[in-house]
Amino acid sequence: ETVLPPPVSWVRLAIAFYGGMAALAWLWREAWQGQQLLYANPEAARGGVSWATDISLGLAAGVAFVSLSRWLTRHTGAGERLARRLAGALGKLELRHCLALALASALGEEALFRGALQPSLGLLGASLVFGAVHFAPRRDLWPWSVFAFVGGLGLGSLFDATGNLVAPIVAHATLNALNLTIQRGELRCII
């Protein structure tokens, strides 16, 4: 079995990786395309963010995704195997590491996949790419790609519905924060 470095060092590496994703997204959308990264299109940018609505939608979607992942983990062998494999790969994380990873992954992945790619590739294209980058060449990890694809459809739909990244970021951060925290204690959820 793989021996991981101490959590602090790989958590820092992950945060830097997600920061690189956000920087790439910003370059793609703002520097190369001349569009605002936060918004789906110029019309959405003119409309701005409805903070209370978008945050509420994001929280509701995040809790729904967590409920789905818990159900899949408890009621399917593939979900249970995936949860155990991912929890084993993550090792023991402190709560602060769970929260930092949840926020960094939500910001970096949503900036890249929804903010930069979705306006160019569309909902289905960006979701397929999102699922593909979650692919791991181990049979017990394949469901992660499927869950990521479905999650990408949901997060992308939030982006389309609100016209901005606030709801998808909040949903993604909620999903990862709750699932990482749950895994930390009982190793029971897909992330």
Side-chain angles (χ1 to χ4, degrees), residues 150-162:
V150 171
L153 289 172
L155 294 166
S157 294
L158 283 173
F159 182 61
D160 283 346
T162 63

Side-chain angles (χ1 to χ4, degrees), residues 109-133:
E109 290 184 354
E110 292 313 305
L112 183 61
F113 294 102
R114 259 51 72 189
L117 292 179
Q118 188 165 319
S120 299
L121 301 178
L123 174 62
L124 184 58
S127 299
L128 284 169
V129 174
F130 188 63
V133 300

Side-chain angles (χ1 to χ4, degrees), residues 46-110:
R46 284 189 295 277
V49 174
S50 176
W51 290 100
T53 300
D54 295 348
I55 290 171
S56 297
L57 282 171
L59 287 170
V63 169
F65 285 134
V66 170
S67 297
L68 175 60
S69 72
R70 287 187 64 80
W71 186 90
L72 290 169
T73 299
R74 290 182 174 163
H75 298 289
T76 68
E80 178 67 24
R81 286 187 298 276
L82 176 60
R84 291 201 181 282
R85 176 55 118 164
L86 291 174
L90 289 171
K92 283 291 188 188
L93 295 175
E94 294 178 25
L95 180 59
R96 65 189 173 103
H97 297 141
C98 294
L99 298 177
L101 284 172
L103 184 59
S105 64
L107 290 170
E109 290 184 354
E110 292 313 305

